[in-house]
Amino acid sequence: MRMPDGQAAGQRVADRPVRLDDYRAVVPASTLDLLRRLADRVRGRSLVHINSTRVGGGVAELLQRYVPLLEELGVTTRWDVVRGTEEFFRVTKSFHNALQGQSQSFTDAMLRTYLETNQENARRLNLDADVVLIHDPQPAALIASANPKADGTRRGRWVWRCHIDASRPQRRAWTFLQQFVTQYDAAIFSLPKFAQRLPIPQYLIYPSIDPLSEKNRDLTPEEISATLQRLGVPQDKPILLQVSRFDHFKDPLGVITAYRLLKKHDDCRLVLAGGSAEDDPEGAQVLAEVLTARNDDPDIHVLVLPPTAHREINALQRAATVIIQKSTREGFGLTVAEGMWKGKPVIGGFAGGITVQIIWGVTGYTVNSAEGCAFRIRRLLHNPDEAAQMGRNAREYVREQFLITRDLAEHLALMVTLLR
Amino acid sequence: MTAARPFEFVECLELREMLGRTAWDERELLAGIEDVPAGSIAYHTRSYFLRSRYLAAPYPNDFATWAAIQIRDRVLGERLTVVDPFDFSDIEQLRAELVTIIDHHLTTVQTVPRADYGEPFHFMRSVLIEVPTGISVTTLRAFRDGLERVDTSAIYYHFYESHRRPEADPLAWLQTELGRDDVVTQMRRLNPYVTSLAGMRAQLLTACDTALGDAP
C-alpha cells in the first residue's frame, strides 16, 4: 500500500513535540490504529528507560522521540540516566569497545568502579515500574542492586537492550557482563548475529529511523538546491553519495575505486560525506588517505560535516542518483534505511545489517567488491526506470520495516508478552 | 443476507525471538530443521509473508533465501522455493518435506556448501500478538469494506493463520453464516504463496466485488 507522502511534515511539527497523528502523513492510518489498539493492552502500565546520557548518541535521540509517544499511547513512561565519574565512563567506553570486538584490558579497580557506580545509581534511581528497559552496558549491572521484594523477586520485568554490535565480543568483557544479563527477564538485540548464548529469551527488534526528524523529513527542491549550493556540490551530473564516518570499515577508498572504474564510461560526481575526525586519530588518518586518493579530482567532493548536519545529509541523499554504503564491516547501518527512505536505490557492502535492509535486485544491491559496486551503479545510471522503481520499492520497504512506528509497536508487543 | 454471528477482524503483530542456534553449512541447516521447535519452521516459511507485506523477495522463504544468497547454492534455493507451506496442514509434514529435499540435495553435491563468505542461518521463532480491530461485520458488503480497511496483518491472520482459531476463519464464516459458497469457492482458488499480503487483499476484494456485482 503506497501512502501519499507528507509535505515537509518535519517543518510542520518543528516547534512542538511530535504527536502520533503527525505520522499519518507517512504511514498508513491502519498502522497507527493498530499501534493505539496494541497500546490499549498495556494502558496504565509503567515503563522506565535507563541509559547513560540525555544528549548525544543514537539511544538518547531515540528516547527523546519514544518517551512522549509512549506517554501519548497511555503507557506511563519515565526516562532516567545513570550518573558517574569520568572514570566510570572511561570504563564503560572500554566495555563498549570490548563488546564490539576491540582488545581492551580491565583491571580489578575498573570493574570495582563499574559495580560501585551501578550500586549508587540503583539506590538513587526510581526503578519501580512494570517494565524496566536498560540500554547498553553502562547501566547493565543495576539489576544486581535493584531492591527485590521480600520474597526475593522483583516487581517489574527487566529487559536489557543491546544497541551495539556484540557479534564478536572480547570474551573477558562479555563474561563479566553476562553475570548481570542472565538476571534479566529478556534481552533485545538489533540483529540475530548480535545475539549471545543466554538462558533468557532474546528478542530481535531492528532499529528504526524517524521520518519526521530533520534528517529524514521531506525537503522542497529549493531547500535541496540551496543546501547543495552551500556545500559546493553542483547538480549538473549524476551524484553518487556515501554518508559515513571516515573509517576503514566503511571502505571509502573502495568507493573511490568504484567511482574511477565507472568514470571511464559515465560522467558523474562522487560525494563522500562524513563526520569530523578531530578526536579520532584513526579517522583523521583515513580522511588523509581519502584526500590523497581524491587526487584533486574536482568531481570528488569530500565533505567533513558536524554531527548536527542533519539537513545537509538529508539534502545530499535526496539529490543523489545512487546511494552507496560499501562497508566491509557494519553494525546495523541505518544510513542505508535513511537513503532508501529518500526513494533511492542503495548499493551496500555485504556486511552487518545492510544485508537485511537491501533486498537484492528489489531495493538495491549488495556487493562484495569495488568492481561489483561500479557495475551495479553503471547499470542503474543506464536504466533510470529500473533505478526509480527500486527507489520506490526501497521507500516502501523502509515504511514497512524501519520506521519508528514499527519499532514502537514491537516494544509494545514485548510489554504485552512480558506482562501477560 | 445478514449473519447471526458477526465476523470480527483481528490484526496481529509478530515479536521475533532468536533461538541462539545457527547453521554455517547445509548439513547444519538440515540438522537445525530436524531439531528446532515447530514454531521456528513456521516462522521461516509461513510467517515470511507477514514480514514481506508489500514486496516479494526473490525467494519466498528464509531457508531458500539463505541457500541461494548466503551459501550461493542456487540449486538448493530453487528446490526449496517449490515447497508451498500452505500445502501442508501439519507443520511436521512441512518439516519432513524440507528435510527430504535438503537430504537428497546433499547426496548430489561433492562437498557440503558452506557460508564461507556469507552470514550463517539464524533459527528464530515468533510470538503472534493478536490485536482485535473492533470491526465486526454481518453482511458480505460490510465484510468486503472491512477487508479494504484493515491493516494487511489482518489478511495474514485470517487467511494465512486461520487454523489458529476456528472463529477467525473467514471462509467458514462466509459459508456457514452467509451461505456464500460462490465467494468461498473463488477465495479457495487464491494461492497465498505466490503473492504478497497486499496482492492477496486485492484478489480477495475482487472476489467480493464479483459476488456483489460490483466488479468493473
Side-chain angles (χ1 to χ4, degrees):
Chain A
M1 186 180 296
R2 192 153 284 133
M3 285 294 303
D5 290 331
Q7 196 168 7
Q11 279 182 321
R12 192 161 45 80
V13 298
D15 53 350
R16 61 170 173 79
V18 171
R19 307 218 14 117
L20 210 52
D21 270 343
D22 295 324
Y23 290 92
R24 282 194 187 278
V26 284
V27 299
S30 56
T31 301
L32 297 180
D33 294 343
L34 187 146
L35 199 52
R36 286 203 166 90
R37 277 181 278 104
L38 183 62
D40 283 343
R41 297 184 58 175
V42 286
R43 183 172 290 279
R45 297 292 204 140
S46 56
L47 167 67
V48 60
H49 288 277
I50 306 288
N51 77 319
S52 62
T53 175
R54 282 198 185 275
V55 286
V59 179
E61 242 176 63
L62 194 78
L63 290 175
Q64 282 162 12
R65 283 289 167 105
Y66 262 19
V67 172
L69 291 173
L70 284 165
E71 277 283 322
E72 188 186 336
L73 286 164
V75 180
T76 307
T77 310
R78 298 194 312 274
W79 170 21
D80 221 327
V81 296
V82 285
R83 289 185 201 151
T85 59
E86 274 185 36
E87 174 58 13
F88 170 72
F89 287 108
R90 262 198 299 276
V91 173
T92 59
K93 179 72 182 165
S94 297
F95 268 122
H96 186 102
N97 291 340
L99 290 183
Q100 297 207 99
Q102 285 182 21
S103 177
Q104 302 281 327
S105 37
F106 294 93
T107 63
D108 288 345
M110 289 167 77
L111 301 181
R112 204 163 45 243
T113 300
Y114 175 77
L115 288 175
E116 286 172 0
T117 308
N118 268 275
Q119 283 161 3
E120 286 160 19
N121 277 284
R123 282 193 291 274
R124 182 183 63 81
L125 294 167
N126 177 4
L127 299 169
D128 186 36
D130 293 311
V131 175
V132 181
L133 198 42
I134 302 290
H135 296 267
D136 283 337
Q138 298 92 336
L142 282 177
I143 194 166
S145 312
N147 289 333
K149 291 195 293 191
D151 63 0
T153 61
R154 277 179 297 273
R155 182 178 93 75
R157 310 283 281 169
W158 283 59
V159 181
W160 185 59
R161 174 50 156 136
C162 180
H163 294 271
I164 58 184
D165 173 357
S167 53
R168 280 175 277 187
Q170 186 187 327
R171 210 28 69 182
R172 181 161 187 233
W174 174 246
T175 303
F176 176 75
L177 206 61
Q178 193 179 26
Q179 63 180 307
F180 307 112
V181 175
T182 52
Q183 296 178 44
Y184 283 74
D185 295 293
I188 305 172
F189 292 92
S190 299
L191 278 178
K193 67 182 227 175
F194 298 167
Q196 303 293 323
R197 283 187 177 276
L198 288 169
I200 57 173
Q202 300 182 74
Y203 295 106
L204 171 68
I205 299 184
Y206 291 149
S208 59
I209 63 167
D210 185 346
L212 303 186
S213 68
E214 189 64 8
K215 204 191 277 183
N216 296 307
R217 71 175 178 87
D218 285 354
L219 296 176
T220 63
E222 294 75 26
E223 285 177 303
I224 295 169
S225 296
T227 308
L228 263 76
Q229 202 171 1
R230 197 154 35 80
L231 294 171
V233 180
Q235 289 179 270
D236 55 346
K237 48 183 102 168
I239 294 173
L240 318 176
L241 170 71
Q242 173 157 303
V243 176
S244 67
R245 64 177 190 272
F246 295 98
D247 177 327
H248 280 302
F249 289 130
K250 310 294 179 187
D251 200 19
L253 298 176
V255 176
I256 292 177
T257 303
Y259 157 83
R260 293 235 154 87
L261 288 167
L262 183 72
K263 191 79 170 175
K264 290 180 194 165
H265 308 280
D266 296 284
D267 198 14
C268 58
R269 291 188 183 281
L270 171 66
V271 178
L272 294 169
S276 158
E278 279 168 19
D279 59 349
D280 176 5
E282 192 193 329
Q285 185 199 324
V286 175
L287 176 59
E289 289 171 19
V290 166
L291 291 171
T292 304
R294 176 178 174 255
N295 198 21
D296 291 331
D297 182 338
D299 285 344
I300 299 180
H301 303 259
V302 180
L303 305 177
V304 179
L305 301 172
T308 52
H310 300 311
R311 183 186 295 203
E312 286 76 6
I313 299 294
N314 189 344
L316 285 166
Q317 288 170 330
R318 288 178 190 279
T321 309
V322 176
I323 290 177
I324 305 164
Q325 187 61 55
K326 209 195 140 321
S327 308
T328 54
R329 187 164 175 203
E330 188 57 82
F332 195 83
L334 265 180
T335 48
V336 170
E338 285 168 9
M340 288 165 66
W341 180 245
K342 313 307 188 303
K344 307 296 166 145
V346 180
I347 295 174
F350 198 85
I354 295 174
T355 57
V356 301
Q357 293 172 84
I358 293 178
I359 304 176
W360 199 92
V362 179
T363 65
Y365 294 102
T366 45
V367 294
N368 302 277
S369 62
E371 290 80 1
C373 184
F375 171 70
R376 292 296 165 196
I377 298 169
R378 192 169 177 220
R379 189 182 160 85
L380 289 172
L381 291 183
H382 285 270
N383 295 280
D385 291 344
E386 184 187 326
Q389 182 57 51
M390 267 190 186
R392 284 193 291 274
N393 291 344
R395 185 166 167 97
E396 288 313 304
Y397 191 52
V398 172
R399 200 191 308 277
E400 180 191 319
Q401 295 280 344
F402 302 112
L403 293 188
I404 188 173
T405 40
R406 189 271 313 148
D407 199 345
L408 271 174
E410 289 191 354
H411 278 87
L412 290 170
L414 177 65
M415 282 187 79
V416 169
T417 304
L418 290 172
L419 296 174
R420 68 182 168 195
Chain B
M1 189 173 181
T2 302
R5 178 177 64 84
F7 182 79
E8 291 173 4
F9 284 98
V10 175
E11 295 169 347
C12 64
L13 192 80
E14 191 181 45
L15 181 63
R16 292 171 283 190
E17 185 184 347
M18 296 165 282
L19 297 180
R21 177 165 186 162
T22 56
W24 280 95
D25 65 31
E26 290 178 357
R27 200 176 293 286
E28 289 175 8
L29 179 72
L30 175 62
I33 291 175
E34 285 178 314
D35 292 347
V36 292
S40 181
I41 303 294
Y43 174 88
H44 292 295
T45 55
R46 301 175 74 98
S47 75
Y48 156 86
F49 292 88
L50 187 57
R51 297 188 294 280
S52 304
R53 296 188 188 197
Y54 308 113
L55 300 173
Y59 299 90
N61 70 61
D62 293 340
F63 301 125
T65 301
W66 183 72
I69 306 289
Q70 305 290 347
I71 296 272
R72 302 178 191 191
D73 183 348
R74 297 245 169 133
V75 176
L76 180 60
E78 288 169 8
R79 285 177 174 159
L80 289 170
T81 58
V82 175
V83 184
D84 180 344
F86 302 102
D87 283 346
F88 300 87
S89 55
D90 178 0
I91 207 80
E92 293 307 329
Q93 289 172 5
L94 171 59
R95 188 202 302 266
E97 181 67 13
L98 293 167
V99 165
T100 303
I101 288 172
I102 300 172
D103 192 43
H104 175 260
H105 180 75
L106 285 172
T107 64
T108 66
V109 291
Q110 295 202 326
T111 54
V112 177
R114 186 178 167 79
D116 284 329
Y117 299 102
E119 301 274 335
F121 187 87
H122 298 275
F123 286 94
M124 317 256 302
R125 68 180 165 192
S126 62
V127 182
L128 205 64
I129 315 279
E130 298 172 6
V131 189
T133 62
I135 300 174
S136 176
V137 299
T138 54
T139 64
L140 180 58
R141 166 76 57 194
F143 177 78
R144 184 249 176 248
D145 292 345
L147 268 184
E148 192 171 38
R149 255 175 79 192
V150 291
D151 183 78
T152 49
S153 67
I155 307 295
Y156 177 80
Y157 184 79
H158 291 296
F159 291 91
Y160 294 58
E161 293 284 329
S162 57
H163 59 279
R164 283 174 180 266
R165 284 195 310 158
E167 67 272 26
D169 182 351
L171 301 191
W173 180 80
L174 286 164
Q175 200 157 35
T176 56
E177 292 293 327
L178 295 183
R180 295 306 300 251
D181 290 356
D182 55 334
V183 185
V184 171
T185 304
Q186 259 197 293
M187 287 183 174
R188 278 201 207 288
R189 286 198 196 113
L190 305 178
N191 187 342
Y193 191 57
V194 291
T195 186
S196 63
L197 290 179
M200 185 70 172
R201 187 210 305 259
Q203 292 178 48
L204 291 165
L205 288 173
T206 302
C208 291
D209 288 341
T210 304
L212 290 163
D214 293 348

